[in-house]
Amino acid sequence: MDMVDNVYTEHLAELVDEGLVPEESIDEAVRRILRVKFRLGLFDNPYTPELPETERYLLPAFRRAAEQAAAESMVLLKNEGGFLPLSQAGGRIALIGPMADDKVHLMGSWEGKGLPEDVRSILDGMRSEFGPGRVTTARGCGFDGDDDSGFEEALRTAAEADVVVLCLGEMQQWSGENGTRSTLALPAIQERLAAEVSRAGKPAVLLLSSGRPVELARLEQLADAILAVWQPGTCGGDAVAGILSGRTNPSGKLSITFPRHTGQIPIYYNMRQPARHHQGLYQDIPSTPLYEFGHGLSYTTFEYGEIKLPKTVFARGETITAEVEVRNSGTVDGKEAVLWFVSDPVASISRPVKELKYFEKQEIPAGQSRTYRFEIVPERDLSFTGPQGERYLENGEFVLSVGNRKIKFYLTD
């Protein structure tokens, strides 16, 4: 199966005629593709009814699913003093920034067949959620460049509001395939806009739309709360508004690491253990990330119980069942994603500090608990790959961690 470059259609017949590619290889490749299609059931009902676009696309149920998917992917990075959700009791909200009423870049670099006229912008969502009379807006500046002629209007709009929502981020072509840039920081004009608006002295929420981590060293201190909304697509504006209002409790967790500065990269959660823990540290900033892999806040609180294992010593062929009870100790229903990590502190090669092996999200009503389980298969979850692709499973000590809990267990013959 070939994508985009057309080398098969342009050259494969000629290669077969020349005897360089045997027909048997093509037959086997076709068999593999058809086998997957049969297993997926694509031939059970090969002919689908032809329906008009109004009955196929952007149906209410599809929009609700898109909004939910967008909302569950968003990550609440910061919420100082429980500033979010915003009060429903009144007060004016100023949406400021180039992403506030954007309908193109909110779709991201892989928008497919998405059309701007079908997108619910952040401004659309906020006015629907809070009422049009409560929400004012000013673009302030573009995504890039040095035109600050809109700063004055932005500052005035912020001064007349009770809360500022800064809508900053990336243009769609700045991330994704072939989107390499020299820095993770947003363009200086956006950071200058944030600093200018902060002169109004109003509490501020930073909405960050991007396809990757962003350097927030200068922006983080200007915001009481930060919500990473990524590139949420057609219904992204409604998803954002639902989280800011509290209609939706955020439950996303970071699948990437946010460095404090671009100069920290590469920095990632499963780096290998250093030989000298007291060396290789930065002298001008902390060596830890700003927001680590798996970070994500909620409008409620979750308490993790002790990890439970049936025993601590296991044979190599055994399946190990681990459990942990998680309690919603707050007053708001919420979903908690539990991430299970495994560490192999002593091995024949240097192993990562920890590795994510399983994750699961469950809804937990306020005051209630749920039990999460992880079935550890040693050959799959405790082994590592050698230089020739072979799998190695070694006996010894392992560490299982989840939340703020850890437990040791051992593998033997």
Side-chain angles (χ1 to χ4, degrees):
M1 183 177 290
D2 179 47
M3 178 182 175
V4 178
D5 56 33
N6 295 321
V7 293
Y8 286 3
T9 57
E10 294 176 5
H11 303 292
L12 196 53
E14 181 182 351
L15 292 171
V16 171
D17 290 340
E18 294 176 356
L20 297 175
V21 175
E23 289 190 32
E24 292 80 6
S25 298
I26 296 177
D27 291 340
E28 179 55 33
V30 172
R31 286 191 193 96
R32 288 196 297 265
I33 294 171
L34 291 176
R35 187 180 300 122
V36 172
K37 290 185 175 183
F38 275 113
R39 288 175 177 174
L40 291 172
L42 299 183
F43 292 105
D44 295 344
N45 184 24
Y47 301 105
T48 57
E50 293 187 20
L51 299 173
E53 289 190 4
T54 54
E55 297 181 29
R56 296 172 61 195
Y57 305 121
L58 299 172
L59 300 180
F62 299 168
R63 281 189 171 274
R64 288 193 296 270
E67 180 184 340
Q68 180 183 356
E72 292 207 32
S73 75
M74 295 175 184
V75 181
L76 184 59
L77 299 176
K78 177 181 179 180
N79 194 20
E80 197 169 286
F83 179 67
L84 291 179
L86 298 178
S87 171
Q88 294 282 5
R92 301 188 72 185
I93 302 169
L95 286 186
I96 296 175
M99 195 63 74
D101 197 24
D102 175 79
K103 295 191 175 187
V104 174
H105 305 295
L106 207 63
M107 288 189 289
S109 58
W110 283 87
E111 80 275 19
K113 298 296 183 180
L115 299 174
E117 57 263 33
D118 296 323
V119 173
R120 295 278 292 172
S121 69
I122 295 172
L123 179 62
D124 292 334
M126 291 292 287
R127 283 181 169 168
S128 176
E129 191 82 22
F130 291 94
R134 286 188 62 189
V135 181
T136 57
T137 187
R139 193 166 191 262
C141 68
F143 287 92
D144 207 346
D146 55 8
D147 183 3
D148 59 5
S149 60
F151 279 21
E152 183 178 347
E153 180 192 8
L155 181 57
R156 183 172 61 251
T157 303
E160 293 171 352
D162 298 290
V163 175
V164 171
V165 177
L166 277 169
C167 305
L168 308 181
E170 294 187 318
M171 299 178 73
Q172 60 182 186
Q173 66 268 27
W174 291 356
S175 61
E177 186 176 14
N178 199 30
T180 304
R181 293 173 68 82
S182 64
T183 176
L184 294 180
L186 293 179
I189 189 69
Q190 293 193 49
E191 293 194 352
R192 286 176 54 206
L193 174 65
E196 180 71 12
V197 168
S198 71
R199 293 176 51 212
K202 301 301 174 71
V205 179
L206 170 59
L207 299 182
L208 183 63
S209 177
S210 67
R212 59 177 145 210
V214 171
E215 180 186 309
L216 297 174
R218 292 162 297 280
L219 290 171
E220 191 269 344
Q221 57 189 326
L222 301 177
D224 298 275
I226 303 175
L227 180 67
V229 307
W230 312 117
Q231 296 168 332
T234 307
C235 298
D238 293 317
V240 168
I243 290 179
L244 295 189
S245 72
R247 172 170 56 84
T248 302
N249 191 349
S251 60
K253 304 280 190 182
L254 284 183
S255 57
I256 48 180
T257 299
F258 272 66
R260 297 177 186 273
H261 291 271
T262 301
Q264 274 187 293
I265 58 175
I267 181 171
Y268 48 96
Y269 88 95
N270 58 340
M271 298 179 76
R272 297 185 184 274
Q273 303 178 61
R276 297 184 175 185
H277 293 271
H278 64 288
Q279 292 185 345
L281 304 178
Y282 291 95
Q283 298 185 20
D284 54 342
I285 60 171
S287 295
T288 55
L290 180 62
Y291 298 114
E292 64 180 3
F293 179 98
H295 173 77
L297 304 177
S298 170
Y299 293 154
T300 189
T301 53
F302 297 99
E303 295 179 356
Y304 284 64
E306 298 293 338
I307 301 173
K308 295 180 180 179
L309 294 174
K311 53 186 179 180
T312 57
V313 180
F314 299 89
R316 295 165 64 91
E318 287 188 78
T319 297
I320 306 165
T321 301
E323 294 184 349
V324 67
E325 186 175 81
V326 180
R327 180 175 180 270
N328 183 343
S329 56
T331 58
V332 180
D333 297 348
K335 295 180 179 180
E336 174 68 346
V338 167
L339 280 58
W340 296 87
F341 295 93
V342 169
S343 303
D344 185 1
V346 180
S348 58
I349 65 171
S350 178
R351 303 288 294 122
V353 174
K354 62 180 181 180
E355 295 178 276
L356 178 68
K357 293 297 182 179
Y358 184 66
F359 61 91
E360 179 187 3
K361 181 187 285 189
Q362 294 189 42
E363 173 118 26
I364 309 178
Q368 297 188 28
S369 301
R370 293 288 184 270
T371 298
Y372 293 74
R373 293 181 179 84
F374 172 30
E375 299 287 337
I376 303 172
V377 178
E379 185 68 33
R380 178 193 68 195
D381 301 315
L382 306 180
S383 63
F384 59 89
T385 304
Q388 303 301 320
E390 68 275 31
R391 303 296 295 178
Y392 287 95
L393 178 62
E394 299 179 342
N395 293 341
E397 175 187 309
F398 295 87
V399 179
L400 180 64
S401 59
V402 60
N404 56 352
R405 304 293 187 178
K406 292 184 179 182
I407 191 171
K408 294 182 180 179
F409 65 96
Y410 301 86
L411 201 64
T412 71
D413 290 324

